[in-house]
Structure formats: C-alpha cells, structure tokens
C-alpha cells in the first residue's frame, strides 16, 4: 500500500523539525555561506561550496577552506575578488593563486575559470541571480529551462575565455538537466538561493537580498525548486516510494520533487536538509538495522525497513 500524503507530510514535518537546525550546519557545505553577511560574498561562496560538494564531507570542507584561503590571499573579500577579475592582471593572479588546488576530478584552473565566468555574469547582469531569473518563466513548474540556459551560456563563455580548460575537467562543474543529469550540486545551490529560512539564505527570492539586481517581476520561487538528489537522498526517496526509478537522474529528481509537492506544494525541498542528514550522519545505513530503524522517524513510511524487518523476523524464527 503506497504511503498516504497526509502521513508522509506528518512524518517528514517531524523529521524536518528535528534536523533543520543551525547546529547541524557543521555537517553541510552551507555552513561556509553563513560565514559571510554581504549577499555578493554569499553568492560567490555558495557557488563554490555547492559545486565542490561531491566526495566525502571531510574532503569537501578541506577543499572549500583551501579555495577560500587562496581567495583571501588575493582580495579583502570574495566579492572584491570576483569584481577584480574584470582586469586581465587580476585574472592572471587568480590563475596563479589556484595552481596546485585539487578536489577529486577538479583542479585549480577549473575554479579560476568558474570565477571568471561569475565575474562576467556580474558585469553583464548585476548578479548571477539576475542572469538566472531573466530566463526563468514566472509560470514554469521548475527551473530546468533557466538552468539549461545558464549552463549553455556559461559553456559558450568558457570556450571563449579558455578553450583548453573548458574542454577538460571544468565540464564537471557545469551539469544541465537537458543532459539528463540530476544536477545535484546545482539543485543544492538553487535551494540555498530559492528558499529563505534560518538555514537557506534565499538570496534570489521575492524578498531576497539580491532581488534589487533582478529584472522587474522576476525572482526564484521555492515551488520551482527541484530536490538535490544524491546517493543518500536518492535511496531514502526510494525507500519512501517517492520515486520508483532505479537510476538517480533528472527525471527521478523531478519525480521525487513532485511527490514532495503532495506534502507541501509551495516548498517541496524544505525536507531536503533533514533527509540528507540521515545519510550524511550515517543515521540511515544501507541495511535494515533494528536498533537504528526502530528509532527512525520515517519507519512507518519506509518500505525498505518493512520488507527487511519481515525477512529478518522470518530468518530468526526459522533458525
Ligand atoms: S527506517 Fe531504517 S532504512 Fe528506513 S529510512 Fe529509517 S533508518 Fe533508513
């Protein structure tokens, strides 16, 4: 029997209450954004921290810290660093400063190019948010067309700026829904930009700090967000039957988001931070563990636990 939306809404609401709290930020790259108050600093740091958010938490934290200290060696703030990249000399200094940086598939030259693109977006549009919402139809169900458009534009700019870097590992930073990818890191960045509460800064929302740079009548709505699906949120979504898809691609992310809209149509990704804690903090493992699952708030809705608890009960009674 599939879970009833009202039961899911209650269980996910309780989970959100438990985990959507400031003291859990230390387990998330969003914590880096909270170190800054200026909205432009936050836009830079959010982009950096979200696009490096692959690999394990320790590795991600180390790499973001490393990138921030290289930025600090060049300018008084991330905002001043990106604004300074209008000058060819500062571009050169940035390329040199990022030499030797490595984060799994990405290298320093990828970050130098990424910040050069961000700088161009600021010069041409006022903010990255302004560029993004310019192609976001206010009536569209999700942000896929706007993200496709931004990534298309940035890929073209990257080829103009530095074709050698653009054709290498840099491409790993620019994922697009149109390619079928679940775009976990961009969905996470956009959740930070499109939701506003104690954790998510919501810089691109109707009351967001960067709204003043946007075209008239444009902003990002929380109802247009898509859940950042990673291996943890993906499998827990499968356990809760929010999707029946096996592969965690863009269609699965949209399907999970659609299911979550049954709980909150205007803000489906509100549950994402809490769901992700279950995996990141190793509170939901890949096996049915009686002592863990019996304490889990999602147990009544978890098909995986129901199936495996029956199996472990059967094997215990047969032996
Ligand atoms: S009941 Fe167990 S398997 Fe299901 S979500 Fe909770 S911890 Fe994970």
């Amino acid at each position: 029997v599939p879970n009833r939306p009202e039961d899911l809404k209650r269980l996910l609401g309780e989970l959100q209450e438990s985990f959507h709290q400031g003291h859990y930020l230390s387990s998330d790259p969003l914590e880096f954004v909270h170190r800054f108050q200026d909205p432009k600093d936050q836009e830079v740091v959010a982009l950096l921290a979200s696009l490096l958010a692959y690999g394990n938490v320790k590795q991600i934290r180390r790499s973001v810290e490393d990138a921030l200290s290289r930025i600090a060696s060049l300018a008084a703030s991330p905002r001043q660093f990106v604004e300074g990249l209008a000058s060819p000399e500062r571009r050169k200094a940035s390329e040199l400063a990022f030499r030797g940086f490595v984060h799994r598939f990405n290298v320093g030259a990828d970050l130098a190019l990424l910040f050069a693109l961000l700088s161009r977006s600021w010069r041409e549009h006022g903010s990255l948010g302004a560029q993004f919402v310019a192609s976001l139809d206010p009536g569209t169900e999700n942000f896929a067309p706007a993200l496709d458009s931004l990534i298309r534009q940035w890929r073209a700019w990257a080829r103009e700026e530095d074709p050698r870097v653009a054709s290498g590992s840099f491409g790993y930073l620019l994922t697009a829904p149109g390619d079928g990818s679940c775009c976990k890191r961009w969905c996470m960045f956009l959740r930070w930009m499109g939701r506003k509460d104690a954790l998510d800064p919501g810089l691109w929302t109707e009351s967001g700090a960067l709204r003043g740079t946007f075209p008239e009548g444009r902003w990002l709505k929380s109802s247009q967000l898509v859940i950042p699906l990673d291996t943890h949120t993906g499998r827990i979504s499968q356990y809760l039957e929010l999707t029946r898809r096996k592969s965690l691609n863009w269609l699965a992310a949209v399907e999970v988001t659609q299911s979550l809209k049954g709980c909150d149509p205007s803000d489906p990704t509100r549950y994402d931070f809490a769901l992700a804690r279950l995996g990141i903090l190793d509170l939901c493992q890949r096996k049915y563990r009686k002592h863990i699952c019996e304490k889990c708030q999602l147990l009544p809705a978890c098909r995986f636990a129901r199936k495996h608890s029956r199996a472990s009960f059967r094997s215990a009674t047969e032996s």
Side-chain angles (χ1 to χ4, degrees):
V1 182
N3 289 307
R4 294 186 315 161
E6 57 271 34
D7 295 336
L8 259 182
K9 183 179 171 146
R10 180 178 51 77
L11 295 169
L12 288 171
E14 286 167 8
L15 187 82
Q16 190 199 8
E17 240 171 71
S18 304
F19 290 102
H20 202 86
Q21 296 188 28
H23 56 267
Y24 285 109
L25 273 176
S26 58
S27 61
D28 199 275
L30 178 56
E31 189 257 336
F32 290 101
V33 183
H34 283 263
R35 292 187 189 175
F36 298 85
Q37 270 78 50
D38 179 280
K40 282 287 192 73
D41 283 340
Q42 290 184 326
E43 193 175 75
V44 181
V45 177
L47 188 71
L48 169 72
S50 57
L51 294 191
L52 292 184
Y54 66 100
N56 68 51
V57 176
K58 245 191 188 160
Q59 208 171 22
I60 295 166
R61 293 189 68 81
R62 209 172 37 233
S63 296
V64 179
E65 292 282 10
D66 181 8
L68 287 176
S69 71
R70 289 170 195 253
I71 289 173
S73 73
L74 293 165
S77 67
R79 175 191 195 135
Q80 284 184 24
F81 162 66
V82 171
E83 284 171 350
L85 296 175
S87 112
E89 296 77 44
R90 302 299 283 273
R91 276 285 308 277
K92 194 80 215 146
S94 156
E95 285 162 17
L96 287 174
F98 278 103
R99 248 182 218 170
F101 173 94
V102 178
H103 176 72
R104 300 199 67 200
F105 312 134
N106 286 114
V107 293
D110 300 336
L111 289 191
L113 181 55
L114 180 79
F115 292 127
L117 300 185
L118 180 61
S119 180
R120 184 161 168 184
S121 290
W122 284 11
R123 289 196 301 281
E124 295 194 10
H125 297 271
S127 67
L128 181 59
Q131 180 175 8
F132 185 82
V133 299
S135 50
L136 179 68
D137 179 342
T140 194
E141 188 189 337
N142 67 48
F143 58 58
L147 182 55
D148 276 327
S149 159
L150 174 69
I151 298 296
R152 220 174 14 252
Q153 179 74 89
W154 270 23
R155 283 175 181 162
W157 286 357
R159 286 193 295 272
E160 283 169 34
E161 301 268 344
D162 196 334
R164 191 185 52 81
V165 175
S167 64
S169 53
F170 174 76
Y172 195 70
L173 298 174
L174 302 189
T175 53
D179 298 336
S181 158
C182 71
C183 303
K184 176 243 169 175
R185 292 166 294 149
W186 280 93
C187 288
M188 187 163 79
F189 171 68
L190 291 164
R191 194 201 86 212
W192 298 349
M193 298 298 110
R195 291 194 74 255
K196 198 165 189 230
D197 63 15
L199 300 191
D200 291 324
L203 302 175
W204 299 358
T205 58
E206 188 176 9
S207 61
L210 289 175
R211 170 86 199 285
T213 61
F214 292 4
E216 188 56 33
R218 297 295 177 103
W219 66 86
L220 176 60
K221 297 178 193 147
S222 55
S223 61
Q224 294 172 316
L225 299 174
V226 174
I227 190 161
L229 214 54
D230 65 8
T231 124
H232 302 305
T233 46
R235 76 184 157 81
I236 296 168
S237 298
Q238 288 162 341
Y239 297 171
L240 300 178
E241 297 182 292
L242 301 175
T243 179
R244 287 185 186 269
R245 289 178 186 273
K246 295 240 178 329
S247 96
L248 300 176
N249 54 18
W250 180 255
L251 293 175
V254 170
E255 200 170 284
V256 171
T257 307
Q258 207 49 43
S259 301
L260 292 175
K261 281 187 175 172
C263 302
D264 189 339
S266 65
D267 190 9
T269 65
R270 65 186 295 173
Y271 309 108
D272 173 57
F273 186 86
L275 281 170
R277 286 327 92 190
L278 292 184
I280 289 169
L281 302 173
D282 213 20
L283 299 172
C284 172
Q285 301 174 356
R286 285 172 191 278
K287 284 190 176 142
Y288 172 74
R289 305 235 184 246
K290 195 168 187 290
H291 65 289
I292 293 178
C293 294
E294 282 185 351
K295 285 193 213 131
C296 175
Q297 287 162 295
L298 298 181
L299 178 63
C302 181
R303 197 173 114 95
F304 177 84
R306 281 203 300 269
K307 191 169 143 206
H308 288 83
S309 63
R310 276 199 300 271
S312 66
F313 176 75
R314 262 201 312 275
S315 73
T317 49
E318 280 161 16
S319 59

